[in-house]
Amino acid sequence: MSPTTSSLAIAAILFLSNTCLAAGPLAVPLGTAANFVILAQSGISTVPTTGISAITGDIGISPGPATGVTGFGLILSADGTDSTSTQITGNVYASSYTSPTPANLIAAVSDMGTAYNNASGRANPDYTELGSGGLGGLTLTPGLYKWSTDVGIATPVTLAGAATDTWIFQIAGDLTIASAKAVILSGGALASNIVWAVAGDVALGTTSTFEGIILSKKGITLKTGATINGRLLGQTAVALQKATVTQP
Ligand SMILES: *[C@@H]1O[C@H](CO)[C@@H](O)[C@H](O)[C@H]1NC(C)=O
């Protein structure tokens, strides 16, 4: 091979190996729901009397109005399109605010529903009913996982994979993580590549640590001191208590 041909061949091999090495399902398209760290349809609450929450990213509610966002001490902006809170590094958007906010939120909530349907509709899971829904102590490699039951994390669970690898968890029941327990990422795995599609309710226990994008058909509750690196995209309400929520 000429030097040019061989360097092209090396470039092609590097490209192919990078592409082929990514393990796990095709990424879930979040659309404009990805503009929000928390998106809910009926309410977003925090309990300021137990200590403030710390949210990094924008939050949105639709079709629920701004009065559905409670405990944050919202301060409306001059143009009325958004508000702020000392508990949020980002803005708050509600369907009752000034245009273009309502239309943007309708699109984002629609995209959230599409993303949930996409993730929960994937066929041919790599693992079915793993651990009978008990993930504590397991190390999960990239893939599509499916349960027809509740899923619980009673002791730490590890997601092991590279920064390009992906995980989708399809859960027909509720998802819970016990108090003070953690989802641990290893090998460079990223929260932005992990999707939990939950048909039931999600509850993260007191001082637990969670990773990934939660798409819940119902509500999401973060108990006192819970932390998530990811997004809370819920089709009813999101309830926080002294929680830390950071977008990846
Ligand atoms: C999910 O979205 C991807 C990318 O748009 C698409 O290729 C795939 O068919 C969708 N899957 C389902 C189950 O909706």
Side-chain angles (χ1 to χ4, degrees), residues 10 13 39 68 86 92 98 100 120 125 149 174 184 188 207 211 213 220 228 240 245:
I10 288 165
I13 288 164
L39 190 59
T86 55
V92 178
T98 302
S120 59
T149 61
D174 298 334
I184 297 162
T207 72
E211 303 276 350
I213 315 298
I220 304 171
I228 179 169
L240 310 176
V245 184

Side-chain angles (χ1 to χ4, degrees), residues 159-163 185-189:
L159 273 54
L185 304 185
S186 77

Side-chain angles (χ1 to χ4, degrees), residues 95-117:
S95 65
S96 53
Y97 288 167
T98 302
S99 175
T101 298
N104 290 344
L105 286 168
I106 286 170
V109 166
S110 171
D111 289 350
M112 168 167 76
T114 301
Y116 173 84
N117 291 339

